[in-house]
């Protein structure tokens, strides 16, 4: 039998309110932007994945995934602004 470790996301100062809807949505966006830039094996992206998986209802995630696949997702998943950042 597989052992599961239940864990909730830590505090994020950007979302101090009790309602974590915005935190859920922003983590979903951040995850997909991170994966687009760095790939799914990039360890820091997994923090966003765990956060939105913990906070977002499964129905929302399924709906957003369908919308992304259909090109109708209303959120900004563009990564162009991050590609032009020069590394020192």
């Amino acid at each position: 039998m597989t052992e599961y470790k239940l864990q909730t996301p830590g505090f994020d100062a950007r979302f101090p309110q009790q309602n974590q809807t915005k935190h859920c949505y922003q983590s979903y966006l951040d995850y997909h932007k991170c994966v687009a830039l760095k790939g799914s094996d990039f360890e820091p992206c997994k923090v966003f994945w765990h956060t939105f998986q913990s906070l977002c209802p499964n129905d929302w995630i399924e709906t957003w995934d369908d919308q992304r696949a259909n090109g109708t997702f209303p959120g900004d998943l563009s990564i162009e602004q991050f590609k032009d950042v020069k590394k020192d």
Side-chain angles (χ1 to χ4, degrees):
M1 179 176 259
T2 304
E3 187 172 318
Y4 292 100
K5 179 181 177 186
L6 296 178
Q7 189 174 8
T8 58
F11 177 75
D12 187 332
R14 297 176 299 167
F15 309 101
Q17 294 82 15
Q18 187 173 11
N19 184 340
Q20 293 293 297
T21 301
K22 290 181 183 177
H23 192 183
C24 151
Y25 184 70
Q26 189 61 52
S27 295
Y28 183 86
L29 294 176
D30 290 345
Y31 171 74
H32 289 289
K33 288 179 183 180
C34 185
V35 167
L37 284 168
K38 299 290 186 175
S40 60
D41 293 334
F42 189 60
E43 195 65 32
C45 293
K46 294 178 184 179
V47 172
F48 298 124
W49 185 88
H50 288 293
T51 301
F52 86 75
Q53 286 290 322
S54 177
L55 294 176
C56 300
N58 290 334
D59 288 346
W60 293 6
I61 296 170
E62 290 172 13
T63 299
W64 295 336
D65 287 345
D66 290 344
Q67 289 173 337
R68 282 187 319 102
N70 296 331
T72 59
F73 183 71
D76 180 12
L77 291 173
S78 64
I79 57 171
E80 300 305 316
Q81 64 186 358
F82 304 112
K83 286 185 175 181
D84 295 334
V85 175
K86 294 184 180 182
K87 297 178 182 176
D88 293 338

